């Protein structure tokens, strides 16, 4: 049976190599073989994909539409083989054909159509919706260039463009027949009592569909990404006159819309192109949704019974006014009915409390780019004020000549959710306190999750194998079953097998680090990992300052009983975020000095591989011993990396922030290295203008670190390089690095002590895996389906 399947796979692969790629096996490149295998897998996804679509139509099932400016997907080939249950067969087939499966898998470029957590969450959600048989479409933009590539030059971040579309890939189906006109600018005119928008510019949104298959191939949904095309015909007359540049102009202009992903998720910036991108995605999606709806229904008022639309942050929040415009201006529904209908369809997820990241648009820009939507927004605002007479005067969508996208999304949604328990409370208390008072049932919590297929089964084969051996299969889509590991954590045999699996991952990572960074690390050292975007609030600075202090302590007592550590950093800074770039420079500077120090040797190494992305996370997460989740309390909405590490058996060192709170609750305080001020204490501490000076003066260790930085110990080529940083530590330190420093050092010492007792550590690590079931994105999606979307699975129970 298995042989037969391998034979079938091989013949399919060879058929694609020959007839799809036009290559003869002896001349085929790695790329050709990868494409042949990818097409072979894709063929097997197409069947469940069609079946899912047919079933949804036949049963007139309610559909979910997920609108997101970002999808951080990573690679798709191995993921497809895993969900189809063909991972091992594919490997055998490729081996038989003389190819190395791993090399093929790693030849695939990451689809990096996102910045960080928000985009990766959207990718996990797509996979979970497919696994749960929730009929859904993901809508996004088909950026030609995903997130920039990061290199280090002299320790500093240098960005180069990413070009994942340079080579054709196997996963998308262009759908040129599914194309919509998207307008910008122009005027609004009244015709027969109806307001009509006459856009001054138009582009075409053209669909590209990627099937997303769930666990065991039972269901597949569509990720539909829009590419921008010119609406005007190519100007042959100009071309024939020799004016080639002018002839190509409309095309170039249109293409800029889907050219690049905005790489800055730290600050809102009033860039017209960004607003146009947001409207481009949203309008194309809504036109597509209404077209599909009208193909089966005639009453637009019943839309909310059949359609749920989720806005991933405020980026697509123009969906409110655009849906009203389509329903009223285009389809003739009275304004207030259109408003009610839109609201009953829409939900809004908030992902950040950082004021600088909240989207606001100057009414001037907004009214210029979207004149009709500006009018509609004013009407929504006055409708809301009329229907809620207690609204304070300072609350509303348009204030101080700005359109506030958070308020717009809130008012236009029937449900608003935060992404962890703490975050949802802060959304109520700090972000929308007045709106929450007016609409006390609107804000709810849906704690984030991650897909255990990619983040355990696929990336950690040694541990996944041990889990299946111990509790059987079936945990992959029922992650609470990991609880079944708990009775085994007192069993020496299980613990040692757990340790063997972890060590296997660490050895593999050590080899890769040697190749990628040229640093030799001891696989028995404690692998301490902090990977995420570089932001001040995430406090990579706290981590590197502790590393300096540790180095200093080892040097002062080199024969002490130290636990060897490898500090691993990964992450990109927004290109214009100078302070984050300075932190990157510092980490690399400290790494150069420490890694070359014979006195500390294997007791302390620092590695910072460049260009952290989804694929790098898949190497690092399974090999981590300790998960760094050390943001200033109240700032990290949830975190999802924290969940991946927990699942893979790495205890957390962290603050009471985001979903760390729920991780702590699930795993128990004895299996978590908790430290630092709470969100409430942070607020109080900041009221003391002298907090940082006082904290530094109270800590000899921190003073020593400041002294080393000030002397230029890590920047011998430029001794004053970190004077600014030291000055800011003494005098501002908004993110309370100094205030939490001693507590962090103490928590790190606890981690050392725990690691030194191997069995104790392994038990902690195994309990982290056993108690991580709550953090499956299947649980999260079930919550959205029940609380927000009112949609049921289309899979037969
Ligand atoms: C803002 C902007 C501003 C305009 C330019 C492009 C851009 C892109 C993204 C953002 C907001 C990013 C918000 C974000 O990623 N939040 C993260 O969401 C994760 C999933 O809910 C959560 O785990 C993280 O804690 C949260 O920081």
């Amino acid at each position: 049976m298995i042989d037969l399947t391998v034979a079938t796979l091989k013949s399919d692969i060879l058929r694609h190599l020959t007839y799809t790629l036009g290559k003869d096996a002896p001349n085929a490149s790695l790329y050709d073989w990868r494409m042949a295998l990818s097409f072979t897998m894709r063929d097997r996804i197409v069947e469940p994909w069609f079946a899912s679509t047919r079933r949804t139509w036949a049963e007139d099932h309610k559909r979910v539409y997920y609108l997101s400016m970002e999808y951080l997907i990573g690679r798709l080939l191995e993921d497809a083989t895993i969900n189809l249950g063909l991972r091992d067969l594919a490997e055998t087939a490729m081996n038989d054909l003389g190819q190395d499966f791993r090399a093929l898998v790693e030849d695939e470029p990451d689809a990096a159509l996102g910045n960080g957590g928000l985009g990766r969450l959207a990718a996990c959600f797509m996979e979970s919706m497919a696994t749960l048989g929730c009929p859904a479409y993901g809508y996004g933009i088909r950026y030609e260039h995903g997130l920039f590539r990061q290199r280090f030059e002299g320790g500093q971040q240098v960005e180069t463009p990413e070009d994942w579309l340079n080579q054709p890939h196997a996963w998308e189906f262009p759908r040129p027949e599914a194309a919509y006109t998207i307008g910008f600018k122009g005027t609004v005119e009244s015709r027969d009592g109806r307001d009509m928008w006459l856009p001054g510019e138009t582009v075409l949104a053209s669909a590209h569909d990627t099937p997303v298959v769930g666990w065991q191939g039972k269901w597949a949904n569509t990720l539909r990404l829009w590419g921008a095309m010119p609406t005007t015909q190519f100007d042959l007359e100009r071309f024939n006159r020799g004016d080639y540049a002018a002839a190509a102009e409309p095309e170039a202009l249109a293409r800029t819309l889907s050219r690049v992903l905005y790489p800055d998720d730290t600050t809102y910036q009033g860039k017209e192109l960004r607003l146009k991108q947001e409207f481009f995605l949203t309008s194309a999606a809504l036109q597509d949704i209404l077209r599909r709806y009208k193909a089966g229904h005639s009453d637009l008022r019943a839309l909310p019974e059949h359609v749920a639309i989720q806005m991933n942050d405020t980026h697509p929040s123009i969906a409110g006014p655009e849906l009203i415009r389509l329903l009223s201006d285009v389809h003739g529904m009275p304004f207030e009915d259109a408003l009610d209908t839109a609201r009953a369809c829409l939900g809004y997820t908030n992902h950040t409390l950082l004021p600088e990241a909240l989207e606001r648009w100057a009414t001037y820009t907004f009214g210029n780019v979207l004149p009709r939507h500006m009018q509609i927004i004013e009407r929504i605002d006055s409708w809301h004020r009329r229907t809620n007479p207690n609204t304070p005067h300072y609350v509303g969508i348009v204030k101080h000549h700005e359109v506030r996208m958070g308020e717009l999304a809130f008012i236009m949604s029937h449900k608003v959710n935060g992404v962890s328990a703490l975050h949802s409370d802060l959304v109520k208390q700090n972000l929308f306190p007045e709106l929450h008072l007016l609409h006390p049932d609107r804000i709810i919590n849906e704690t984030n999750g991650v897909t255990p297929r990619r983040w355990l089964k696929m990336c950690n084969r040694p541990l996944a194998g041990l889990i299946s051996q111990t509790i059987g299969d079936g945990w992959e889509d029922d992650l609470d079953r990991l609880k079944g590991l708990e009775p085994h954590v007192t069993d020496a045999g299980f613990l040692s097998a757990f340790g063997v699996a972890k060590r296997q991952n660490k050895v593999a990572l050590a080899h890769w680090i040697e190749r990628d960074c040229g640093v030799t690390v001891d696989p028995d050292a404690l692998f301490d990992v902090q990977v995420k975007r570089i932001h001040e609030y995430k406090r990579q600075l706290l981590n590197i300052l502790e590393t300096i202090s540790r180095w200093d302590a080892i040097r002062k007592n080199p024969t002490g009983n130290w636990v060897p550590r490898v500090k691993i950093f990964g992450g990109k800074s927004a290109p214009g975020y100078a302070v984050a770039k300075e932190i990157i420079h510092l980490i690399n500077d400290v790494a150069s000095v420490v890694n070359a120090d014979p006195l500390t040797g294997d007791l302390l190494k620092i590695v910072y591989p460049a260009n952290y992305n989804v694929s790098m996370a898949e190497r690092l997460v399974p090999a981590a011993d300790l998960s760094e989740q050390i943001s200033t309390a109240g700032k990290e909405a949830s975190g999802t990396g924290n969940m991946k590490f927990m699942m893979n058996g790495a205890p957390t060192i962290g603050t009471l922030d985001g979903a760390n709170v729920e991780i702590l609750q699930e795993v128990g305080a004895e299996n978590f290295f908790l430290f630092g001020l709470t969100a409430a204490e942070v607020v109080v501490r900041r009221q003391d203008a002298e907090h940082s000076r006082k904290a530094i003066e109270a800590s000899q260790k921190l003073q020593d670190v400041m002294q080393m930085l000030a002397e230029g110990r890590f920047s011998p080529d430029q001794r004053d390089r970190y004077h600014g940083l030291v000055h800011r530590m003494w005098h501002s330190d908004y993110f309370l690095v100094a205030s939490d420093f001693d507590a962090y050092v103490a928590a790190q010492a606890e981690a050392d002590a725990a690691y030194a007792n191997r069995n104790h550590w392994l038990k902690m690590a195994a309990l982290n895996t056993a108690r991580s079931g709550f953090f499956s994105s299947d649980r999260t999606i079930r919550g959205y389906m029940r609380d927000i979307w009112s949609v049921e699975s289309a899979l037969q129970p």
Side-chain angles (χ1 to χ4, degrees):
M1 176 68 185
I2 286 180
D3 267 0
L4 189 75
T5 316
V6 170
T8 317
L9 274 186
K10 276 161 59 180
S11 95
D12 285 1
I13 293 163
L14 286 172
R15 182 172 50 80
H16 275 299
L17 193 70
T18 312
Y19 297 105
T20 310
L21 292 144
K23 280 289 176 88
D24 196 8
N27 300 321
S29 64
L30 192 61
Y31 169 77
D32 298 323
W33 283 111
R34 167 163 70 79
M35 290 293 278
L37 178 60
S38 301
F39 283 125
T40 304
M41 292 300 125
R42 193 181 77 172
D43 291 349
R44 281 159 176 79
I45 296 175
V46 166
E47 289 149 30
W49 193 28
F50 285 180
S52 304
T53 309
R54 278 191 224 113
R55 169 102 65 93
T56 306
W57 279 103
E59 295 174 5
D60 192 20
H61 215 284
K62 184 168 184 177
R63 293 174 178 90
V64 170
Y65 294 103
Y66 199 78
L67 270 55
S68 179
M69 286 287 280
E70 306 193 2
Y71 291 90
L72 198 42
I73 298 167
R75 295 174 177 145
L76 282 174
L77 174 55
E78 192 177 14
D79 182 64
T81 65
I82 293 268
N83 274 357
L84 293 171
L86 295 173
R87 163 69 179 68
D88 293 344
L89 288 186
E91 178 161 23
T92 311
M94 292 319 302
N95 282 344
D96 283 6
L97 292 165
Q99 299 301 311
D100 175 8
F101 180 74
R102 215 48 260 149
L104 287 184
V105 161
E106 290 181 11
D107 181 57
E108 182 177 353
D110 273 36
L113 309 184
N115 275 289
L118 168 144
R120 183 53 234 176
L121 186 76
C124 283
F125 278 11
M126 287 304 297
E127 201 272 353
S128 274
M129 288 190 283
T131 291
L132 293 172
C134 171
Y137 280 78
Y139 284 114
I141 294 180
R142 185 176 178 270
Y143 301 107
E144 254 171 75
H145 303 284
L147 187 61
F148 65 85
R149 285 207 195 98
Q150 177 196 55
R151 279 188 298 121
F152 295 136
E153 262 175 36
Q156 290 180 277
Q157 170 173 302
V158 177
E159 303 94 26
T160 53
E162 187 280 344
D163 55 6
W164 71 300
L165 290 178
N166 253 5
Q167 290 173 320
H169 70 87
W171 305 112
E172 68 178 1
F173 295 90
R175 306 283 194 216
E177 74 281 11
Y180 300 93
T181 303
I182 313 297
F184 302 103
K185 307 198 171 179
T187 54
V188 180
E189 284 182 16
S190 195
R191 295 216 178 137
D192 316 322
R194 263 201 219 179
D195 286 318
M196 285 303 286
W197 177 27
L198 303 174
E201 288 173 16
T202 54
V203 297
L204 215 57
S206 179
H208 298 256
D209 287 353
T210 297
V212 179
V213 67
W215 174 240
Q216 292 181 327
K218 292 180 195 159
W219 190 265
N221 286 320
T222 304
L223 175 62
R224 175 161 276 195
L225 301 180
W226 302 103
M229 306 260 286
T231 42
T232 45
Q233 291 288 311
F234 175 67
D235 196 335
L236 187 62
E237 202 184 313
R238 274 180 150 167
F239 187 87
N240 286 339
R241 282 205 309 269
D243 197 352
Y244 306 123
E249 219 171 70
E251 178 146 7
L253 267 176
R255 289 258 155 87
T256 55
L257 259 180
S258 53
R259 182 96 66 198
V260 290
L261 164 79
Y262 271 85
D264 188 345
D265 60 356
T266 55
T267 49
Y268 150 80
Q269 274 178 319
K271 292 248 174 67
E272 188 179 296
L273 181 60
R274 168 87 185 168
L275 178 60
K276 283 179 153 184
Q277 284 187 331
E278 295 181 351
F279 182 66
F280 173 77
L281 158 70
T282 307
S283 178
L286 290 175
Q287 292 185 58
D288 200 39
I289 292 167
L290 289 184
R291 190 222 12 101
R292 191 171 299 109
Y293 178 78
K294 287 189 294 174
H297 304 89
S298 49
D299 181 10
L300 281 168
R301 281 162 213 266
L303 194 69
E305 291 161 36
H306 302 275
V307 166
I309 303 170
Q310 192 65 26
M311 301 183 282
N312 197 23
D313 218 288
T314 56
H315 317 148
S317 61
I318 191 66
E322 173 67 351
L323 188 49
I324 293 177
R325 185 187 73 84
L326 292 169
L327 292 174
S328 64
D329 291 6
V330 179
H331 291 99
M333 193 186 280
F335 181 85
E336 288 202 7
D337 294 353
L339 194 155
D340 287 341
T341 306
R343 275 199 47 232
C345 292
L346 289 165
Y348 155 50
T349 305
N350 173 279
H351 295 269
T352 182
L353 301 163
L354 299 183
E356 59 273 28
L358 294 176
E359 288 190 299
R360 292 164 284 116
W361 295 100
T363 48
Y364 175 82
T365 310
F366 202 98
N368 179 37
V369 176
L370 300 169
R372 177 60 184 144
H373 300 79
M374 191 66 234
Q375 294 178 338
I376 292 173
I377 285 171
E378 307 268 11
R379 281 189 75 177
I380 298 170
D381 227 354
S382 50
W383 165 85
H384 183 260
R385 195 167 295 284
R386 198 169 65 245
T387 50
N388 298 276
N390 294 333
T391 310
H393 67 88
Y394 53 87
V395 174
I397 305 170
V398 185
K399 287 285 151 193
H400 308 298
H401 308 290
E402 283 184 330
V403 182
R404 302 175 183 173
M405 302 307 260
E407 278 75 1
L408 172 62
F410 186 111
I411 288 172
M412 281 309 300
S413 296
H414 68 286
K415 282 283 181 274
V416 175
N417 76 285
V419 289
S420 72
L422 172 65
H423 169 67
S424 298
D425 281 344
L426 295 172
V427 171
K428 289 178 193 168
Q429 290 160 25
N430 301 344
L431 195 58
F432 300 121
E434 301 87 359
L435 288 171
H436 172 56
L437 227 66
L438 293 170
H439 310 284
D441 298 328
R442 193 162 308 174
I443 301 176
I444 61 170
N445 177 54
E446 300 293 352
T447 298
N448 283 167
V450 302
T451 167
R453 274 74 64 184
R454 179 179 290 261
W455 294 109
L456 185 51
K457 179 94 176 166
M458 184 182 101
C459 73
N460 196 342
R461 287 171 55 81
L463 181 56
L466 175 63
I467 292 170
S468 293
Q469 251 178 50
T470 312
I471 60 170
D473 286 327
W475 53 270
E476 294 91 339
D477 62 345
D478 184 6
L479 206 64
D480 288 327
R481 287 203 202 174
L482 292 183
K483 278 257 176 314
L485 294 171
E486 276 199 38
H488 299 269
V489 304
T490 46
D491 167 1
F494 173 78
L495 275 194
S496 112
F498 196 93
V500 169
K502 180 62 80 180
R503 192 166 193 285
Q504 209 177 320
N505 298 327
K506 291 172 72 176
V507 168
L509 182 64
H511 284 136
W512 179 80
I513 287 173
E514 178 104 53
R515 264 181 287 138
D516 192 84
C517 312
V519 180
T520 311
V521 299
D522 170 9
D524 292 314
L526 190 165
F527 282 17
D528 163 334
V529 186
Q530 186 174 22
V531 288
K532 49 185 80 251
R533 285 296 287 251
I534 312 294
H535 283 236
E536 286 166 278
Y537 83 78
K538 294 179 189 283
R539 298 200 295 191
Q540 284 92 355
L541 181 59
L542 178 59
N543 189 347
I544 195 66
L545 296 183
E546 189 272 341
T547 308
I548 294 173
S549 185
R550 174 177 291 266
W551 176 66
D552 189 41
I554 301 174
R555 285 173 63 84
K556 285 174 176 152
N557 177 19
T559 56
N561 198 15
W562 299 103
V563 172
R565 263 211 205 219
V566 182
K567 286 266 189 178
I568 302 171
F569 293 85
K572 297 176 183 179
S573 157
Y577 188 177
V579 177
K581 288 190 151 178
E582 184 181 39
I583 294 168
I584 291 177
H585 200 177
L586 176 61
I587 296 170
N588 283 322
D589 275 350
V590 175
S592 304
V593 172
V594 169
N595 292 347
D597 185 354
L599 208 57
T600 47
D602 266 356
L603 294 178
L604 185 60
K605 292 284 178 209
I606 303 166
V607 289
Y608 190 169
N611 202 39
Y612 175 67
N613 58 11
V614 172
S615 294
M616 197 193 292
E618 290 164 9
R619 296 179 190 281
L620 297 178
V621 168
D625 291 310
L626 188 63
S627 159
E628 296 268 356
Q629 310 299 338
I630 60 177
S631 50
T632 312
K635 291 293 176 191
E636 189 70 271
S638 159
T640 46
N642 47 2
M643 303 169 184
K644 295 165 197 165
F645 285 107
M646 180 196 193
M647 246 175 228
N648 285 273
T652 304
I653 182 165
T655 48
L656 273 181
D657 201 15
N660 293 356
V661 176
E662 287 139 287
I663 289 180
L664 174 67
Q665 198 177 315
E666 294 289 313
V667 82
E670 67 286 6
N671 302 304
F672 188 114
F673 301 98
L674 180 67
F675 75 95
L677 299 172
T678 63
E681 289 165 349
V682 162
V683 175
V684 174
R685 182 63 59 94
R686 279 210 191 101
Q687 286 164 359
D688 179 356
E690 304 275 86
H691 65 79
S692 63
R693 186 180 56 74
K694 288 180 186 164
I696 298 173
E697 282 173 352
S699 167
Q700 186 58 50
K701 285 187 172 147
L702 186 50
Q703 280 173 52
D704 293 347
V705 172
M706 289 297 114
Q707 182 66 27
M708 285 187 268
L709 284 173
E711 284 170 2
R713 283 285 285 281
F714 306 102
S715 52
D717 53 326
Q718 188 197 356
R719 300 247 167 220
D720 64 356
R721 181 173 295 153
Y722 297 110
H723 282 188
L725 190 150
V726 170
H727 185 269
R728 291 197 306 278
M729 278 291 294
W730 277 97
H731 301 287
S732 45
D733 189 26
Y734 181 78
F735 294 99
L736 299 162
V737 170
S739 295
D740 274 345
F741 183 80
D742 277 358
Y744 180 57
V745 169
Q748 288 288 16
E750 276 176 52
D752 285 325
Y755 191 78
N757 180 344
R758 181 156 172 85
N759 265 328
H760 171 62
W761 184 271
L762 285 174
K763 188 174 159 212
M764 279 178 70
L767 282 173
N768 267 270
T769 299
R771 296 175 178 171
S772 67
F774 181 73
F775 300 103
S776 166
S777 45
D778 298 346
R779 186 267 310 145
T780 312
I781 289 297
R782 280 198 192 92
Y784 278 79
M785 290 170 71
R786 183 187 60 230
D787 309 334
I788 304 177
W789 302 334
S790 301
V791 55
E792 304 214 316
S793 169
L795 282 174
Q796 255 94 44

